[in-house]
Structures are given as structure tokens and as C-alpha cells.
């Protein structure tokens, strides 16, 4: 069904808040086949579908590729600042709301618009541009080897909990000049922050406390790390802006990389097209990285944009104050952009929207790819004979409405002493 053919049934609710019986947003990430959920929503509503964000709170899920680009690029109609959300304005979010951490205002570039967004975005672009890519790759490779050494002799591991969930946050901790203990504390806080259970706001405050400690240390003794750069940047006018900018980078890079690493490893271990070193497949790590960005991007759903005026999108009447969730995974699978209906066959095609689009597109795609590629290659190199220890269909997804990745990836391999045998 196309947007042009969708018609609201007579007597149906005209307000998003009045709709009931909607598909929960979390079902788009927590099911074995998200594409089936997307297809059902498209058939019923078109490329923009009403969904339940959490009980009593509704929003629009943007499923269409072109519609995603429209929302992401048109700041004059769709704002990133949650102060424009009617639910926030009416104070309808419960204290333990699971969407609160992602859909309330913060002092960083992701949640701002216009000139303030550009002011807050510039330090991010400048700081990431200062990262020495070669040095970072060496540091990540050494970190990966050290982490693998902790389980290499067992002959079995969970490549999510033991590896993918550890590498990104420790890598980012190093970029920000934090030590290993701070990195581990960050990992635990971020794990709870993105869980669909637990106290997300309390977890956020703990993580902010770690960030504040790092900023105070770098003000007292500046170094060449990213914390020092941001703590002294003239564009950041307050502690809140400094803390939230650092938190934005750590949270975004960490959650993105965890799922990208684990999804790529899953693909390399289960799909016969990939992993020439493992099974003689013709496609390698870079192809797998791109396949994941198309099929299962690390952020399936991105919160959010808020309508600044009444408008129309994908055949739906969007009211001022409505929230729109960017369904990146759904948009990548939009049948309208895949020739002949053959989704995910474009090897080397990077026209996906896994990084979003427009002024709020991800600024860290290069260091993220470096970290993820190094982590995947190191695991495959250091774990001889690595194979999935359970049937592929039994790999469950993480408990989140925003991200999609394996909750666990149990594997077996030939036990090896640290640091593992070199391969030709």
C-alpha cells in the first residue's frame, strides 16, 4: 500500500493521542523478524505508522526511506528539541518512563536545532577530526587482544558480554582519557541506560557523574585527549553543555559499536556468503559491515523529531507537537528503493540511512567503523575454529526499543594460550 492509496476509516480517531491498540515500538526490535512487523505496518498505514512508544504514549514511526530524509532534513517543520513535544509540554511522562532518557531535552547537539545546534555540533566535528586514526587502530587492536586473552584459554565465550560489549566503551574511555576502572563503570551505566527495564534516568545520572569527574581532572591537568578539547572549547558555554556533549559521544559511539560488532560477528559466523577465512565465503569483513548497516543497523529506531506545525507525511495527518521516530531499519528495507524487490543485495552500496541524514547525521562514522572493523578482524584472527555454539535461530535480541543486536553470542573455538596463534 502506498501513501497515495491510504485512507483513514470513517469514524477513526483523528488525534494520535486518541489511538488505541497500536503496535508497541519495542516489538519492531524484539521479534525474530522485524521485517514482518514493518510489512504489516506498511500494509495497514503506509510509510508512516502510529505506534505505542510505551503504555499511554503514542508516536509516529517513519518507515519510508524518502520520508526519513524529509523528516531528517526539514528543520523548519520537524525539530529535534523535545520541548516541542506535546507529551513533554503536558508533563505526561512518568518518572520511570522508558522513553524519558531519549525524549527529553539535553544540552547537546542531538537535542537542539538551528544556530544552537550548529554551535554545539562544531566542537564534536572538530574533536573527532583530531583523532589519530592509526594510533586509535593500534590502541583498539591491543585492547581487543587483551580482552580476548581473558577467555582465549577456555575455548568458549559469549562474544557479546565478553567482547563486543566491552571493546567500544573502553576504546572511547581511552579517547576521552579515562582509565580502565572508569571505562568499566561507564559500561555498566550505559548497559542500564539502554535497557528497556530499570531506572534509565538514574543510570544517566551515574554516567554523568563519571563524565564530570573526567572534566574536573582535565581542567586541573589538561592533556591531548578529547575531554580536554571539549572542556576548553569556547562553543560550550556551561558545564551542562560540556557534560552532555561528552555523554552524547560516548553513548552514541558505544551503543552503535556494540551492536555493529555483534551483528557483524553473527553474520560472519552464520551466513555462508561471508567469512572466506572461516568457510570459503566470497565476501569479507567490510562487506559484512555494510550488510549489517543495511539489514540490522545498530540503531533500528532513533528518537525523535517533533512536528512544529500541522503537516502531512506519507499520507498521515501529523499534528503540531506529535513525535516522529526515525525507523532506520525499516527505511533501509523500504521496497520502493530496492530494484526488483531484492533488498540487501547491493554489495558495496552505502546509500543506507543507518547514520540518519541531514544536520543531525552521525558525526562519528569513521572512528566507529575503525573500532568495529578492528574488533571483528581481531576476534576472527585470535579465535581459531570459532563457531556459534547454538543454532542461529536461537540468538535472541537485546531488550530495547531503540537498538537491535544479539543479547548473547555464545561461541566455541580451539583453546589457545594468550595471545593466540598468528595466521597467514
Amino acid at each position: 500500500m502506498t501513501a497515495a492509496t491510504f485512507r483513514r476509516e470513517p469514524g477513526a480517531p483523528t488525534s494520535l493521542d486518541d489511538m488505541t491498540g497500536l503496535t508497541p515500538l519495542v516489538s519492531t526490535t524484539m521479534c525474530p523478524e522485524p521485517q514482518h512487523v514493518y510489512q504489516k505496518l506498511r500494509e495497514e498505514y503506509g510509510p508512516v505508522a502510529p505506534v505505542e512508544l510505551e503504555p499511554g504514549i503514542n508516536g509516529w514511526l517513519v518507515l519510508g526511506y524518502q520520508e526519513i530524509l524529509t523528516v531528517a532534513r526539514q528543520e523548519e517543520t520537524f525539530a529535534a528539541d523535545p520541548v516541542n513535544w506535546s507529551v513533554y509540554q503536558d508533563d505526561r511522562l512518568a518518572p520511570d518512563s522508558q522513553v524519558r532518557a531519549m525524549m527529553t531535552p539535553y544540552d547537546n547537539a542531538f537535542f537542539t536545532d538551528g544556530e544552537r545546534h550548529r554551535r554545539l555540533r562544531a566542537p564534536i566535528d572538530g574533536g573527532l577530526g583530531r583523532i589519530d586514526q592509526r594510533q586509535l587502530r593500534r590502541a583498539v587492536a591491543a585492547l581487543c587482544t587483551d580482552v580476548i586473552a581473558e577467555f582465549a584459554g577456555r575455548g568458549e565465550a559469549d562474544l557479546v558480554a565478553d567482547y563486543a560489549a566491552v571493546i567500544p566503551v573502553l576504546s572511547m574511555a581511552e579517547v576521552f582519557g579515562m582509565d580502565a576502572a572508569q571505562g568499566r563503570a561507564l559500561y555498566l551505566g550505559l548497559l542500564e541506560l539502554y535497557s528497556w527495564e530499570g531506572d534509565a534516568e538514574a543510570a544517566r545520572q551515574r554516567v554523568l557523574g563519571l563524565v564530570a569527574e573526567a572534566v574536573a581532572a582535565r581542567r586541573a591537568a589538561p592533556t591531548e585527549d578529547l575531554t580536554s578539547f571539549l572542556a576548553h572549547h569556547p562553543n560550550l558555554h556551561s558545564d551542562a553543555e560540556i557534560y552532555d556533549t561528552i555523554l552524547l559521544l560516548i553513548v552514541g559511539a558505544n551503543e552503535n559499536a556494540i551492536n555493529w560488532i555483534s551483528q557483524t560477528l553473527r553474520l560472519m559466523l552464520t551466513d555462508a556468503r561471508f567469512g572466506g577465512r572461516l568457510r570459503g565465503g566470497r565476501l569479507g569483513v567490510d562487506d559484512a559491515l555494510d550488510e549489517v548497516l543495511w539489514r540490522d543497523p545498530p540503531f533500528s529506531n532513533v528518537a525523535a523529531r517533533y512536528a512544529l506545525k500541522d503537516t502531512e507525511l506519507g499520507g498521515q495527518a501529523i499534528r503540531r507537537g506529535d513525535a516522529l521516530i526515525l525507523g532506520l531499519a525499516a527505511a533501509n528495507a523500504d521496497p520502493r528503493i530496492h530494484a526488483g524487490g531484492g533488498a540487501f543485495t547491493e554489495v558495496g552500496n552505502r546509500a543506507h540511512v543507518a547514520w540518519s541524514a541531514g544536520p543531525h547525521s552521525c558525526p562519528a562514522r569513521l572512528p566507529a567503523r575503525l573500532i568495529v572493523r578492528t574488533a571483528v578482524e581481531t576476534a576472527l584472527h585470535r579465535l581459531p575454529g570459532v563457531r556459534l555454539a547454538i543454532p542461529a535461530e536461537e540468538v535472541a535480541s537485546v531488550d530495547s526499543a531503540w537498538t537491535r543486536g544479539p543479547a548473547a553470542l555464545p561461541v566455541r573455538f580451539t583453546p589457545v594460550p594468550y595471545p593466540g596463534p598468528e595466521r597467514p
Side-chain angles (χ1 to χ4, degrees):
M1 177 176 293
T2 67
T5 61
F6 174 73
R7 294 291 185 272
R8 193 181 303 279
E9 294 295 326
T14 57
S15 169
L16 181 62
D17 291 336
D18 293 335
M19 297 182 186
T20 59
L22 299 179
T23 299
L25 179 65
V26 71
S27 71
T28 66
T29 58
M30 289 292 293
C31 63
E33 291 293 339
Q35 299 306 325
H36 295 169
V37 180
Y38 301 145
Q39 181 180 353
K40 180 181 177 182
L41 289 171
R42 286 192 184 95
E43 290 173 351
E44 185 171 359
Y45 298 106
V48 180
V51 294
E52 180 188 75
L53 303 183
E54 63 183 23
I57 305 295
N58 297 335
W60 297 104
L61 178 61
V62 185
L63 303 158
Y65 184 92
Q66 291 299 329
E67 288 76 15
I68 287 275
L69 296 182
T70 296
V71 172
R73 291 171 175 171
Q74 293 187 4
E75 286 186 291
E76 70 279 6
T77 304
F78 304 102
D81 192 337
V83 299
N84 297 289
W85 187 21
S86 60
V87 170
Y88 178 79
Q89 293 171 353
D90 297 340
D91 196 24
R92 289 169 46 202
L93 289 178
D96 60 348
S97 166
Q98 291 304 309
V99 302
R100 177 181 291 276
M102 294 295 292
M103 299 179 67
T104 51
Y106 299 113
D107 293 310
N108 63 47
F110 187 83
F111 295 92
T112 53
D113 301 288
E115 287 300 323
R116 188 171 186 226
H117 165 76
R118 287 184 281 276
R119 174 173 65 81
L120 295 175
R121 173 73 183 239
I124 294 175
D125 292 335
L128 293 174
R130 297 173 72 249
I131 294 176
D132 185 320
Q133 301 292 312
R134 293 183 179 180
Q135 181 178 335
L136 178 60
R137 189 190 184 287
R138 288 193 297 269
V140 173
L143 175 62
C144 291
T145 300
D146 288 345
V147 171
I148 287 173
E150 298 177 9
F151 58 78
R154 301 201 310 257
E156 61 182 14
D158 175 1
L159 288 184
V160 176
D162 296 333
Y163 189 67
V166 179
I167 298 301
V169 68
L170 296 184
S171 299
M172 291 304 295
E174 180 162 335
V175 169
F176 280 94
M178 300 180 187
D179 60 28
Q182 290 172 311
R184 296 280 179 170
L186 277 175
Y187 161 67
L188 294 175
L190 295 178
L191 191 66
E192 185 176 354
L193 180 61
Y194 270 88
S195 172
W196 202 236
E197 298 178 354
D199 192 334
E201 183 57 27
R204 184 179 187 277
Q205 291 304 317
R206 287 197 298 276
V207 172
L208 274 178
L210 293 168
V211 170
E213 290 177 8
V215 169
R218 289 301 172 264
R219 280 175 170 161
T223 65
E224 293 299 315
D225 58 45
L226 195 51
T227 298
S228 294
F229 178 81
L230 295 175
H232 296 89
H233 200 286
N235 278 28
L236 302 178
H237 296 170
S238 66
D239 284 349
E241 290 186 351
I242 294 170
Y243 299 162
D244 278 0
T245 296
I246 293 174
L247 182 60
L248 172 64
L249 284 167
I250 291 175
V251 168
N254 183 66
E255 196 66 21
N256 190 312
I258 289 174
N259 292 314
W260 200 3
I261 291 169
S262 56
Q263 288 282 47
T264 304
L265 285 170
R266 178 193 60 79
L267 194 62
M268 297 290 289
L269 294 172
T270 61
D271 193 316
R273 296 173 299 152
F274 296 94
R277 180 175 288 172
L278 300 175
R279 294 173 307 278
R282 65 183 180 85
L283 301 177
V285 172
D286 280 316
D287 300 308
L289 292 172
D290 290 334
E291 174 94 352
V292 168
L293 292 179
W294 273 105
R295 183 189 297 271
D296 279 312
F299 278 93
S300 297
N301 302 312
V302 170
R305 299 295 186 273
Y306 309 93
L308 294 175
K309 59 186 177 183
D310 292 352
T311 188
E312 183 275 339
L313 183 72
Q316 297 285 7
I318 309 298
R319 297 278 188 89
R320 178 182 177 181
D322 283 356
L324 298 98
I325 306 301
L326 305 185
L328 304 184
N332 281 345
D334 188 339
R336 297 175 298 176
I337 66 167
H338 294 281
F344 316 126
T345 60
E346 305 92 332
V347 174
N349 184 343
R350 296 183 181 176
H352 53 74
V353 289
W355 305 114
S356 190
H360 288 85
S361 62
C362 176
R365 61 191 72 183
L366 292 179
R369 190 179 187 96
L370 184 152
I371 292 170
V372 172
R373 191 181 199 281
T374 302
V376 171
E377 287 186 325
T378 304
L380 298 178
H381 181 76
R382 295 291 186 185
L383 301 175
V386 63
R387 60 200 181 278
L388 200 60
I390 61 174
E393 60 271 17
E394 294 182 10
V395 176
S397 298
V398 295
D399 187 14
S400 171
W402 311 111
T403 64
R404 179 172 169 81
L409 205 60
V411 296
R412 295 191 179 95
F413 49 88
T414 302
V416 291
Y418 176 81
E422 292 293 332
R423 295 188 183 187

